[in-house]
Amino acid sequence: MFKREKHQPPAQVTGVSRRDLIKYSMFLGASLGLPRWKVFEVLESSGGTALAAEAACAPTNRSVHIVAGVGGFAWFQLLWPHNDIAAAQNGQFAWHAIGEETMIAGTTRPLTVGPETPWKSLAPHRQVSAFMAGNNETHTQQPTSASTVGNNTAMIAACAALQVQTNATLVPVIAIDNAPFGGAAGAPREARVPDADSMVGLFNSAAARAGGALSQTADAQLFEAHYKGFLGLHRAANRPTMKRSFETGKLAANLVGRNLADQLRPSPADLARYGIDGGTETKLSEIGKSLITSVKAFTMGLTSCVVMPALRDDPHGAFNDMGSLRQTVRTLGIMLDAFMTDLNGIADPTCAGSMIGENTVVTIHGDTPKDPRERSGWPDGTPGDSNWMYMLGAGYLRTGWHGGVRRDGSAIGFNPATGADDPNRSSASTAMAASAAALYAVAKGDMRRVQDFYRGEEIGGIIVPQDM
């Protein structure tokens, strides 16, 4: 795939310097507008085939983590309802599309969808996996019970720890507002911003604006000086002074990188495609704009992980206005569909021959999904104090519902080793296994890497085993 002129073979780059060189090379390529294949070619010439191969197909997937709070998680069960709740077609239940529900054919476990559900066109093995997981945590903005891998280890932070070991990005994690990130061994520090617009601001500065230090063509010398500094960083990678040089190089890279802000900002066409206009409620437009900028940041290799809050609106009275309810669910579905359509239309610069959407994992969880058996007042309580989590597992997870709430009010868990429903298991008891499944999807099926964070029960029944 990679061509090289006949000359002395370059030394293979190893260790920390390998990851740093890939990160800054990808970043510089984006800054200069170079195609990614050209960056790979240069990497092979300067660092060897192993370095180029690592850059060409990262061993870790990207991830987006949507965390709903203050009761807003309830909206998502109108996209992926419990199978038996929708099948009951009971007008008292919290299912809005009675008679419009359908089943996705070919999933591992049954999966019911409605007219507004996104991602229905994906292949069965890439559909949503739904896991009973965690406890009801009514009205918190930072739910954790469904997203804990083990003691003092949060699922999102562990995903980021896996990514930062292999994926070359400038800002490893972007977390919006106070969306929970948690802790895990080796996890990078998140870059926290207050809202979707501020995601763009991470890569913006006075230097990049009109009249700024980097706004004039004549300032190419400044960029050249930075580039030479970058090469110097590589030469000093194994010296005791590496840390100081690294920090200097990082600062310089950040300065140039902030020129990319205009490329990250949602355009009017983007907003229209995501169903966002002047009348869109902020609770929805914030999700859409965050997803749009995430696509752009993934495309440019600027981040591997985005954590965003969602729908903190406590919709107790949602079923009192079916028109408004349908509009909210419709817009939410449009945004999630547009997000995946965008990702599936862009060649993945980190894995030749695939699209970004094929290498992106999505998790959705929250404080309380509210009672699926009661639409009147949509109560916060759930059968058996249960909770659950949705995942788009990039083909690495068994799809469909694992456990679920039944029309008789029972909350059924599942056996992680077999994937079968288990009435003797609670959602609290399967939370760590479900979170481990998310790590497995991010690690592209490398169970050895998952075990760096998860030491719980066997999860072979909820994952798709890989030939390693």
Side-chain angles (χ1 to χ4, degrees), residues 34 73 98 101 119 123 136 144 238 291 335 345 378 385 419 434 462:
L34 295 175
F73 183 45
I98 294 175
E101 62 279 333
W119 308 332
N136 189 311
T144 59
N238 295 314
L291 293 173
M335 292 189 302
W378 215 352
D385 197 37
I462 61 177

Side-chain angles (χ1 to χ4, degrees), residues 108-155:
T108 311
R109 307 275 302 163
L111 181 66
T112 303
V113 295
E116 299 92 357
T117 303
W119 308 332
K120 288 183 288 189
S121 63
L122 296 179
H125 72 287
R126 288 185 171 272
Q127 286 290 327
V128 161
S129 303
F131 300 100
M132 296 298 284
N135 297 316
N136 189 311
E137 298 179 79
T138 297
H139 290 177
T140 181
Q141 294 185 3
Q142 298 182 307
T144 59
S145 68
S147 57
T148 299
V149 184
N151 293 333
N152 302 315
T153 303
M155 177 263 289

Side-chain angles (χ1 to χ4, degrees), residues 42-96:
V42 171
L43 278 172
E44 186 191 32
S45 178
S46 62
T49 55
L51 180 69
E54 181 175 335
C57 196
T60 312
N61 283 320
R62 304 168 187 81
S63 62
V64 171
H65 306 278
I66 300 173
V67 187
V70 198
F73 183 45
W75 289 108
F76 290 95
Q77 67 168 291
L78 303 186
L79 298 178
W80 297 285
H82 289 276
N83 295 315
D84 199 45
I85 294 296
Q89 298 190 347
N90 186 327
Q92 301 303 311
F93 288 177
W95 172 240
H96 67 296

Side-chain angles (χ1 to χ4, degrees), residues 80 111 128-132 389-391 398-403:
W80 297 285
L111 181 66
V128 161
S129 303
F131 300 100
M132 296 298 284
M389 178 160 50
Y390 303 102
M391 297 182 198
R398 307 286 188 185
T399 52
W401 269 101
H402 298 78

